[in-house]
Amino acid sequence: MAKRQLIFGIGVTIFLIFVFFIVTYSIITITKKRVPIFGDKVALVRIEGVILDSKKAIEQLKRYKEDKSVKAIVIRVDSPGGGVVPSQEIYEEIKKIKEKGEKKVVISMGAMAASGGYYISCPADKIVANPGSITGSIGVIMELANIEGLLEKIGVKSVVVKSGKHKDIGSVLRAMSAEEKEILQRVLDDVHNQFIEAVAKGRGIKEDVVRGIADGRIFTGKQAKELGLIDEIGNLEDTIKIAARISGIKGEPQVVTEERKPSFLELLLGNFLNQKIDPFKRHISFNYIFTY
């Protein structure tokens, strides 16, 4: 009998220790992710730096889209732009959330939300920027080098074997022909038109009005408000309160966000890697510096 009670006592102790560790781990996990346990929430998604990949942003947006406790999503954009396709993919995901109609999506512009950074902001329910935020830059750019002269000086000659007349279009090893420039110009013009259409639809502005300012120029947040490119002037805290208000949250909103842990290389080299790690992805881009 005493032995059975001892075994039972040990079992209960092990069970309580197990429960303690589970509860402790859950609390630590929730704290690290800054996830409030109860009440309606505003989710905060950060899109920072050059937009080269849409995967992480879309994963977060989809997760919050399905979370019933999240009533609004605030997207903090602090980006000079980036690749055309990842910008378009994020744009489409934001549009899907808005069209579903269950949650409000509000953009908070940081120091810069230009070109691709502005593109992804267009379909949101509201856009809020600081008066000095740099935005706009509705344009597309392709950057290609020509090192033919340099190779000649050092005695290097390239040999290209191709099966299509324009297969090596944009090659850095030779000068571009007028015909090739025309081909690439048509590509960029088409992408530029896509950008203009996205702004017109997202912001409810006539396309010819957007076209009049879609020459790549940048605007301050104050100027952008006057042009109808944004809705309100305010900082991130203001944006969270706006998102809570328009989504029906009463009182101080609870904010859920995910902390992004930088990689070891990013810690060593900082934002340099973010901009330089894959230059081929930036050849056609929505970007203030490179650009789309």
Side-chain angles (χ1 to χ4, degrees), residues 75-109:
I75 304 175
R76 176 68 166 184
V77 181
D78 203 339
S79 170
V84 171
V85 171
S87 299
Q88 290 180 328
E89 288 176 340
I90 296 171
Y91 172 98
E92 289 298 328
E93 191 58 38
I94 294 171
K95 194 167 73 169
K96 288 174 187 175
I97 297 171
K98 182 180 175 181
E99 289 172 351
K100 194 174 180 181
E102 295 179 356
K103 306 177 195 292
K104 298 295 184 181
V105 181
V106 185
I107 300 294
S108 170
M109 291 184 171

Side-chain angles (χ1 to χ4, degrees), residues 36 38-43 67-74 102-104 106 239-256:
F38 304 108
D40 293 336
K41 307 176 186 71
V42 173
D67 189 335
K68 300 300 181 183
S69 68
V70 172
K71 302 303 179 184
I73 301 173
V74 170
E102 295 179 356
K103 306 177 195 292
K104 298 295 184 181
V106 185
T239 308
I240 291 171
K241 289 177 181 178
I242 290 168
R245 187 183 73 242
I246 66 175
S247 59
I249 297 176
K250 304 297 182 183
E252 193 70 21
Q254 298 184 69
V255 180
V256 52

Side-chain angles (χ1 to χ4, degrees), residues 165-214:
K165 179 182 178 182
H166 299 298
K167 190 60 181 177
D168 66 336
I169 190 170
S171 172
V172 300
L173 303 177
R174 62 175 179 81
M176 191 181 298
S177 69
E179 183 184 5
E180 289 172 328
K181 286 181 182 178
E182 186 179 345
I183 290 171
L184 293 180
Q185 187 62 58
R186 286 199 297 267
V187 171
L188 265 66
D189 288 344
D190 181 59
V191 177
H192 189 207
N193 285 329
Q194 293 175 36
F195 197 164
I196 292 169
E197 289 170 7
V199 174
K201 289 178 183 177
R203 296 299 302 162
I205 305 173
K206 289 183 179 179
E207 196 171 302
D208 58 339
V209 174
V210 177
R211 199 171 294 278
I213 57 173

Side-chain angles (χ1 to χ4, degrees), residues 122-193:
C122 292
D125 292 286
K126 279 189 179 296
I127 302 177
V128 182
N130 292 279
S133 297
I134 299 300
T135 189
S137 187
I138 304 170
V140 189
I141 191 172
M142 174 181 284
E143 284 186 275
L144 300 167
N146 177 9
I147 62 170
E148 184 180 17
L150 174 63
L151 294 179
E152 287 178 357
K153 287 182 179 181
I154 60 177
V156 177
K157 187 174 182 180
S158 67
V159 177
V160 177
V161 180
K162 58 184 179 180
S163 59
K165 179 182 178 182
H166 299 298
K167 190 60 181 177
D168 66 336
I169 190 170
S171 172
V172 300
L173 303 177
R174 62 175 179 81
M176 191 181 298
S177 69
E179 183 184 5
E180 289 172 328
K181 286 181 182 178
E182 186 179 345
I183 290 171
L184 293 180
Q185 187 62 58
R186 286 199 297 267
V187 171
L188 265 66
D189 288 344
D190 181 59
V191 177
H192 189 207
N193 285 329

